[in-house]
Amino acid sequence: MATRAGTSFQRRARSKRAPVPGTRPSLHNGQLLLSTGVPSLDYLIGGGLAVGTLLLVEEDRYESYSRMLLKYFVAEGIVCGHSLLIASAKDHPEEILQELPAPLLDDVIEIKESNKETEDNLADITSAAGLQDSMSIAWRYQNLPVVQTALTSSSRFGHYYDVSKTMSPELQHSVNCHSFFRPDEVPLDLAAAEFSNMNLGYVKLLRAIQRVIREEGFDGSSPQTKQRNILRIGIHSLGSVLWGDDVGLNENPESAYSLTRFLYALRGLLRTSLSACMITVPAYLIQNKAVIGRVVKLSDTVIGLESFNASERETNPIYKDYHGLFHVRQLPRLNCLISDVPDTKDLAFKLKRKLFTIERLHLPPDLSDTVSRSSKQDVAESAKLLSSGCGGVASGNKHLDF
């Protein structure tokens, strides 16, 4: 009986490497993703923040909501068991840890969501019954789809947090956390000094990040003692005067390239390690537009927050349900030619039921025949800011044609 000829081909066995906790692969490009702590933000940037990338947040003028996003990012790392590195020049990293929001349990979220749906359904039934006799909708609007303002995906990723409560100290100290406080790292007599054409505070911070990445094996140079883990880096208000940078003082600063050199070196460290970084930058203080353009190009994902506090839009009836506008400046292009573009650019954020959420912004129809002239002007001016969502945009002082 003839013997079967042998073959050199072997079936490839699946990798037995354990998955990294708190991560999942992207459905678009296979990149490893982690949650930012805000599910609606994860939805906007393609499912989550890719490992090895940099997320830049343009701060609002009163620095309240951008600081909240940073705390969400750090809190999500603690819940997932990731290592942390928090850097700041204004508030000590320990103070930021003490202000982290408390995570919500899954059963509490399900109960709240079911109660919310019940309340919304009852409100819809009541309003429909009350307006059935007094209002009739035009036939051309009856078949239009209802605008879904919530940004949600079919699969849940990340956790929810209650901003009215703080995280317990036991949970805060359950992970390995490193801190960098600039006043403790840079002496006062060397605060304005530069090293290799870079701010001394930036040099110290880069060395601290590089030391943590190498010593704990996030770059693969030395094997990690336990299972693979992620290093989350959070940098607060980078580029401000407290960091010794003068990009926000005048239009032609002396150290205009110090911030861009730091971002270039930081991206090199992130690309070669299991780490991800979120940086908040006071972009409204930087007068030189060229510097802003270089900062955006040296980042992977860039978002901007425009708060309504102490502004004319705070009293505008169009924005009465929101606390500010949310801008997506740039999305990463990883393992593909184009980025994952969101379905709309008209976004707004608010604190809803103790949660920070990002929603689609759309103009409601004007069903009243006695609208004042001032409110019409407000609606017309607001319509200019929205690129889509209402079909036509008014010009001048004319009202929208619904």
Side-chain angles (χ1 to χ4, degrees), residues 99-114:
E99 298 175 358
L100 296 182
L104 290 175
L105 300 178
D106 294 340
D107 52 355
V108 175
I109 296 174
E110 292 177 358
I111 293 174
K112 287 187 176 182
E113 290 180 350
S114 61

Side-chain angles (χ1 to χ4, degrees), residues 112-354:
K112 287 187 176 182
E113 290 180 350
S114 61
N115 293 337
K116 178 186 175 184
E117 291 179 359
T118 304
E119 293 175 358
D120 294 342
N121 293 334
L122 291 176
D124 293 340
I125 294 173
T126 304
S127 61
L131 298 177
Q132 184 176 5
D133 299 332
S134 60
M135 184 185 69
S136 60
I137 302 177
W139 61 270
R140 57 178 176 174
Y141 299 126
Q142 291 179 356
N143 297 327
L144 290 179
V146 180
V147 178
Q148 299 292 336
T149 59
L151 300 175
T152 56
S153 59
S154 57
S155 61
R156 179 185 164 188
F157 186 46
H159 301 81
Y160 293 91
Y161 299 88
D162 188 352
V163 295
S164 63
K165 300 179 182 179
T166 56
M167 184 179 293
S168 62
E170 294 79 11
L171 185 58
Q172 294 177 10
H173 297 89
S174 62
V175 299
N176 190 11
C177 181
H178 306 270
S179 61
F180 182 92
F181 189 47
R182 187 185 182 278
D184 295 341
E185 301 292 338
V186 181
L188 292 177
D189 55 345
L190 298 176
E194 290 189 0
F195 182 79
S196 65
N197 295 328
M198 189 185 299
N199 188 310
L200 184 59
Y202 296 161
V203 175
K204 292 276 189 177
L205 179 56
L206 277 176
R207 290 178 177 176
I209 296 174
Q210 186 179 25
R211 181 174 63 254
V212 173
I213 290 177
R214 290 184 176 179
E215 290 180 356
E216 299 192 8
F218 293 105
D219 59 347
S221 59
S222 58
Q224 296 180 347
T225 56
K226 301 179 182 180
Q227 63 178 355
R228 294 194 306 165
N229 203 355
I230 299 293
L231 174 64
R232 289 181 179 242
I233 305 172
I235 305 177
H236 178 240
S237 195
L238 189 71
S240 63
V241 181
L242 296 176
W243 280 97
D245 206 332
D246 60 345
V247 291
L249 297 178
N250 50 63
E251 189 174 356
N252 297 314
E254 296 180 358
S255 58
Y257 298 97
S258 184
L259 179 59
T260 55
R261 287 192 178 96
F262 171 81
L263 294 176
Y264 183 81
L266 177 61
R267 286 185 67 184
L269 293 176
L270 296 176
R271 285 293 193 271
T272 57
S273 62
L274 286 174
S275 58
C277 181
M278 174 183 286
I279 299 178
T280 64
V281 174
Y284 62 92
L285 293 177
I286 302 178
Q287 304 176 14
N288 194 332
K289 300 301 181 181
V291 176
I292 288 292
R294 288 193 290 265
V295 168
V296 171
K297 294 300 181 182
L298 289 172
S299 304
D300 297 298
T301 307
V302 181
I303 60 176
L305 300 177
E306 184 180 353
S307 175
F308 293 156
N309 294 336
S311 65
E312 297 179 355
R313 295 178 181 176
E314 187 176 9
T315 58
N316 194 323
I318 299 298
Y319 308 114
K320 62 180 181 179
D321 296 330
Y322 302 99
H323 294 94
L325 297 178
F326 189 89
H327 305 284
V328 179
R329 309 293 189 191
Q330 178 175 288
L331 292 176
R333 298 175 177 86
L334 303 173
N335 302 331
C336 57
L337 297 178
I338 60 175
S339 59
D340 185 18
V341 181
D343 54 357
T344 179
K345 295 182 180 180
D346 304 324
L347 303 168
F349 65 87
K350 62 180 177 179
L351 282 174
K352 183 179 181 181
R353 293 179 180 269
K354 304 177 182 180

Side-chain angles (χ1 to χ4, degrees), residues 30-145:
Q31 190 77 18
L32 194 63
L33 302 177
L34 53 86
S35 176
T36 60
V38 182
S40 53
L41 178 57
D42 296 336
Y43 175 85
L44 283 175
I45 62 178
L49 180 62
V51 176
T53 61
L54 169 63
L55 171 60
L56 185 74
V57 180
E58 297 180 359
E59 297 179 357
D60 53 300
R61 291 187 176 274
Y62 292 92
E63 197 197 330
S64 55
Y65 298 103
S66 58
R67 182 186 177 93
M68 186 178 298
L69 283 182
L70 181 63
K71 290 189 291 185
Y72 273 116
F73 179 75
V74 176
E76 181 68 20
I78 293 179
V79 174
C80 296
H82 297 163
S83 298
L84 302 176
L85 193 152
I86 305 175
S88 176
K90 179 181 179 181
D91 300 325
H92 198 278
E94 288 294 333
E95 298 180 5
I96 299 178
L97 285 176
Q98 295 175 2
E99 298 175 358
L100 296 182
L104 290 175
L105 300 178
D106 294 340
D107 52 355
V108 175
I109 296 174
E110 292 177 358
I111 293 174
K112 287 187 176 182
E113 290 180 350
S114 61
N115 293 337
K116 178 186 175 184
E117 291 179 359
T118 304
E119 293 175 358
D120 294 342
N121 293 334
L122 291 176
D124 293 340
I125 294 173
T126 304
S127 61
L131 298 177
Q132 184 176 5
D133 299 332
S134 60
M135 184 185 69
S136 60
I137 302 177
W139 61 270
R140 57 178 176 174
Y141 299 126
Q142 291 179 356
N143 297 327
L144 290 179

Side-chain angles (χ1 to χ4, degrees), residues 370-381 397-399:
T370 59
V371 181
S372 62
R373 183 175 299 178
S374 60
S375 62
K376 287 185 177 181
Q377 292 177 356
D378 293 338
V379 173
E381 293 176 358
N397 294 327
K398 294 182 180 180
H399 193 40

